[in-house]
Amino acid sequence: MKNSNKLIIYGQEFSSRLLIGSALYPSLDVMKAAIVKSESEIVTVSLRRQNPENNGGNIFWQELQSLGLTLLPNTAGCHSMKEVVNLAKMSRELFQTDWIKLELIGDEYNLQPDPMNLVAAADILLKDGFKVLPYCTDDLVICRRLADCGCEVIMPWGSPIGTGQGLANPQALSAIRHRLPDTTLIIDAGLGLPSHAVHAFELGYDAILLNSAIAQATDPITMASAFSYACKAGRAGYLAGRMPERQVAQPSTPIMGMPFWHQD
């Protein structure tokens, strides 16, 4: 993924490496303006929070669709494989997409994904023709199992969702990147500052997914712009390659005799 100029998700190319959520904004106008300012091309939607099938949130859906972006339905709020599969099928029918962000919560305290059933749920959905983007913890074994069952994209958290703590375990995230060099990896959840986004890209991650960090900022529109710049800076810095770390100071201009302007 290092030399690709585009973000690739199941064969589809995108210029932006920022995926953005559509919840928690103070108004529809702010949501639309923030999404536009972020330059994101992919926006996540939750069927359980807004139900267009029952004429719920029609204005919301109309405003979101007017942006002309790629929709990524998610299974937020699901606690069982049955819920996940049913909601995914409803989303596919309503949104006419086989993309699904797989969320299967195992603990309400920190909203940690269920490690026991996540892989099994992904396998069921993949066999049913879905393109699955699973949200998981920073556990290398879980990520490898998801990749082995056919997930071309995996989305480990930076820290628990909604905390804004940044990358709590960069060593674990680095190990995932190292062991899954050909998998598209997206940091999903826990980022709160643009600097957190830069950190994620510096570890070699391909993209980030945000919601709370932008929607709950004092100024969501300006924060969306800040994260857009952070994604570009972090990715460019990663591609450029960092200087070697050293244990001692080293002058940036080595002393080699007298300055050329010296006169006796």
Side-chain angles (χ1 to χ4, degrees):
M1 299 299 168
K2 180 173 181 176
N3 296 319
S4 176
N5 292 324
K6 301 284 188 177
L7 171 65
I8 301 174
I9 297 180
Y10 285 99
Q12 190 169 341
E13 294 185 349
F14 299 91
S15 296
S16 174
R17 292 177 178 271
L18 171 58
L19 288 69
I20 193 167
S22 57
L24 304 175
Y25 293 90
S27 71
L28 284 175
D29 288 340
V30 171
M31 178 196 76
K32 287 183 63 179
I35 291 174
V36 170
K37 201 70 173 178
S38 75
E39 300 183 287
S40 177
E41 298 166 274
I42 302 171
V43 59
T44 64
V45 293
S46 174
L47 193 60
R48 296 197 67 167
R49 295 195 177 100
Q50 301 279 346
N51 191 347
E53 188 179 43
N54 295 326
N55 295 319
N58 279 337
I59 296 177
F60 171 83
W61 296 115
Q62 291 168 5
E63 292 294 316
L64 201 57
Q65 290 170 344
S66 72
L67 296 173
L69 304 178
T70 298
L71 295 183
L72 174 58
N74 65 47
T75 60
C78 290
H79 294 79
S80 71
M81 285 195 290
K82 182 178 179 180
E83 282 183 292
V84 161
V85 172
N86 288 340
L87 194 60
K89 290 181 177 180
M90 290 175 61
S91 296
R92 179 165 60 184
E93 181 178 347
L94 288 167
F95 300 115
Q96 297 297 302
T97 179
D98 54 8
W99 281 27
I100 194 73
K101 178 189 172 187
L102 172 59
E103 297 186 39
L104 179 52
I105 301 303
D107 180 75
E108 282 293 342
Y109 177 71
N110 65 357
L111 300 179
Q112 178 174 326
D114 183 341
M116 304 299 180
N117 293 314
L118 187 66
V119 177
D123 187 56
I124 290 171
L125 293 173
L126 286 163
K127 288 176 178 176
D128 195 23
F130 284 94
K131 293 179 172 64
V132 181
L133 292 80
Y135 162 60
C136 60
T137 61
D138 52 12
D139 185 288
L140 173 59
V141 176
I142 296 297
C143 290
R144 290 187 65 179
R145 296 291 181 268
L146 289 166
D148 289 344
C149 79
C151 293
E152 296 181 16
V153 179
I154 298 173
M155 305 198 297
W157 69 8
S159 52
I161 190 168
T163 62
Q165 295 177 359
L167 306 187
N169 195 346
Q171 183 176 8
L173 292 169
S174 293
I176 294 169
R177 176 73 285 176
H178 176 70
R179 296 294 291 165
L180 299 174
D182 299 320
T183 301
T184 296
L185 296 178
I186 300 173
I187 293 292
D188 178 11
L191 304 186
L193 294 169
S195 58
H196 297 160
V198 173
H199 192 187
F201 283 102
E202 288 173 343
L203 292 181
Y205 276 71
D206 299 290
I208 60 171
L209 194 158
L210 297 171
N211 194 164
S212 301
I214 292 176
Q216 295 187 315
T218 303
D219 182 346
I221 299 170
T222 300
M223 186 62 81
S225 178
F227 269 105
S228 178
Y229 284 119
C231 291
K232 295 171 185 175
R235 178 67 177 176
Y238 172 70
L239 292 176
R242 63 158 298 156
M243 64 170 283
E245 287 190 55
R246 302 183 179 94
Q247 296 300 314
V248 296
Q250 179 174 314
S252 58
T253 305
I255 299 173
M256 299 179 66
M258 301 299 291
F260 71 87
W261 62 82
H262 177 76
Q263 295 182 353
D264 292 329

